[in-house]
Amino acid sequence: MRPTTKNILMLLVLVLVGVNMRPLLTSVGPLLPLLRDASGMNFALASLLTALPVAAMGVMALAGGWLSRRLNAHHLVALSLVTIAAGALLRERAPHSAILLSSALIGGIGIGLIQATLPGVIKRLFSRSTPAVMGLWSAALMGGGGLGAALTPWLAQRSKVWYHALAWWALPAILALIGWMVIGRSAVQSPDNALPGPAVRLHISPRAWMLGLYFGLINGGYTSLIAWLPPYYMQLGSSPQSSGSLLALLTLGQTAGALLMPMLARHRDRRTLLLVSLAMQLVGFCGFIWLPQQLPVGWALIGGVGLGGTFPLSLVLALDHTPHAPLAARLVAFMQGIGFIIAGASPYLSGFLRSLTGDYRADWMFHAACVVGLMLLTLRFAPSRFPSGWQTSPPAGNR
């Protein structure tokens, strides 16, 4: 097989794997009123359906280094896809709160393992085109979220029992598993002759923690929107289908942003594109706050492009900090670990604010303020400020 053909097939498999990263989260929002009525969940408990898997993503990302020393990337991704499929299939049973929360936790574990593993694989296999491939994978991730939001109400209407629609999302995970087993083995297990990177203790690095905070606040806005945007518009009088479609439009914008912004990232300084993406997020949140019914499609698309652009750019920003693939993989895993734990608290905070105020606008205001803070933090990510010790291996005596 020619290398170009192998790369194309690997890209297709990466897209298929990426599609499975968000339906577990986005399929819940459009059916949330039905789920709450059937399970008796209050708003705070229902928020855990999004918060639990996101927090699990963070924990598994932090555990990724320990697991990677015992399982190679091929086995980790395969195991993760099995776990995602199992989490979705568990929702085939009656919508009791314990079952729903267990499925969210199980699926989140699988998603977290993949998200901690694949950025390092992408940097190693596509070192000359890392931003573009990261953008493609992120676009597939966002697109999968859109499919989960748009198709789940449609599946619910055509299923014998409405909650069976949630279990259908095991099918793409099974298809991705087949593709990964066939194509991923030779690509991921190919010899890696890269020199080991510097021995950096990330848990005591201020820069690593700053990246984790940055990633967490960026994704906190996303996790709140996928949990509460459909209920917000249903409260304003929209139907479950149209509210789910609005979330699908948000993820359509994310897909476009995830593809477009990394393609424009031709310079090592990513701050301009990050600031543009964050400004679009701010416009979206302000629209949801003050003019939610005047131009909902516009706010969803603009905010979605901003959310979609910042996700791959923040991953590329972390990878830019070092040319050493092993250290880059560790840094991205640490950043995602801290970040997703922060982002996992966001839907719970949103549910608490909703219970406290009776509305979702307080949450959108909170995230708009976070975006302003993120824009200020972005200014600190000049390449000249990257830790110099991460660029070259230190002497043996300092390791």
Side-chain angles (χ1 to χ4, degrees):
M1 182 181 293
R2 293 180 302 170
T4 53
T5 305
K6 181 187 290 187
N7 287 344
I8 291 171
L9 290 175
M10 189 61 191
L11 286 173
L12 291 174
V13 171
L14 288 174
V15 167
L16 188 55
V17 171
V19 166
N20 287 278
M21 297 296 98
R22 291 297 179 267
L24 187 88
L25 282 69
T26 60
S27 60
V28 171
L31 302 183
L32 192 61
L34 290 172
L35 285 171
R36 288 188 63 242
D37 290 342
S39 63
M41 289 181 169
N42 59 26
F43 283 101
L45 190 59
S47 71
L48 294 178
L49 293 174
T50 302
L52 265 180
V54 175
M57 291 179 206
V59 173
M60 297 315 296
L62 291 176
W66 180 84
L67 288 169
S68 65
R69 292 192 291 271
R70 288 154 179 81
L71 294 171
N72 60 35
H74 177 74
H75 292 146
L76 276 175
V77 174
L79 177 63
S80 301
L81 290 168
V82 171
T83 307
I84 292 171
L89 286 173
L90 188 59
R91 295 178 171 180
E92 177 75 17
R93 305 183 64 186
H96 297 303
S97 58
I99 291 175
L100 290 168
L101 293 173
S102 297
S103 70
L105 179 60
I106 291 170
I109 289 171
I111 295 169
L113 283 174
I114 291 178
Q115 291 185 158
T117 303
L118 281 188
V121 172
I122 289 172
K123 184 174 178 67
R124 182 166 65 83
L125 295 180
F126 301 96
S127 59
R128 295 184 179 180
S129 53
T130 296
V133 176
M134 192 67 71
L136 178 65
W137 182 69
S138 299
L141 184 149
M142 307 299 178
L147 290 174
L151 293 182
T152 301
W154 183 85
L155 289 170
Q157 292 174 0
R158 287 155 181 79
S159 298
K160 186 176 180 180
V161 183
W162 62 267
Y163 54 80
H164 289 176
L166 297 171
W168 274 104
W169 295 107
L171 181 59
I174 294 170
L175 294 176
L177 175 64
I178 295 171
W180 181 259
M181 295 301 292
V182 174
I183 304 299
R185 182 184 301 274
S186 60
V188 175
Q189 291 185 338
S190 58
D192 186 358
N193 298 320
L195 293 174
V200 178
R201 292 184 292 175
L202 295 176
H203 65 283
I204 61 172
S205 167
R207 176 50 64 102
W209 282 95
M210 185 188 298
L211 287 168
L213 174 65
Y214 190 75
F215 190 77
L217 293 178
I218 283 174
N219 284 277
Y222 170 70
T223 55
S224 286
L225 283 167
I226 62 174
W228 299 115
L229 187 63
Y232 175 50
Y233 273 91
M234 280 185 269
Q235 181 177 284
L236 294 176
S238 298
S239 68
Q241 182 66 62
S242 62
S243 299
S245 297
L246 191 64
L247 181 55
L249 286 172
L250 178 84
T251 55
L252 177 64
Q254 285 181 289
T255 304
L259 280 172
L260 178 63
M261 292 302 179
M263 290 176 61
L264 297 175
R266 301 183 183 276
H267 302 286
R268 193 162 180 248
D269 192 339
R270 318 292 183 183
R271 290 178 296 172
T272 299
L273 289 174
L274 281 165
L275 287 170
V276 170
S277 298
L278 288 167
M280 296 181 77
Q281 285 188 39
L282 186 59
V283 170
F285 279 119
C286 289
F288 290 140
I289 294 166
W290 289 300
L291 297 169
Q293 294 181 300
Q294 279 71 14
L295 194 60
V297 171
W299 309 136
L301 288 173
I302 293 170
V305 172
L307 287 164
T310 50
F311 183 84
L313 286 173
S314 59
L315 292 174
V316 172
L317 175 68
L319 293 173
D320 285 343
H321 275 69
T322 174
H324 301 282
L327 176 57
R330 287 175 51 215
L331 179 60
V332 169
F334 183 86
M335 179 184 76
Q336 290 189 93
I338 300 303
F340 279 126
I341 290 173
I342 294 172
S346 183
Y348 186 81
L349 174 62
S350 302
F352 174 76
L353 289 173
R354 166 62 179 79
S355 298
L356 190 66
T357 65
D359 202 318
Y360 297 95
R361 285 186 175 88
D363 184 53
W364 308 148
M365 291 179 182
F366 168 75
H367 287 296
C370 286
V371 171
V372 174
L374 286 167
M375 295 175 80
L376 296 175
L377 186 57
T378 299
L379 299 176
R380 295 181 58 86
F381 292 126
S384 60
R385 292 188 174 186
F386 291 172
S388 58
W390 294 6
Q391 304 303 309
T392 57
S393 297
N398 295 333
R399 295 191 178 191

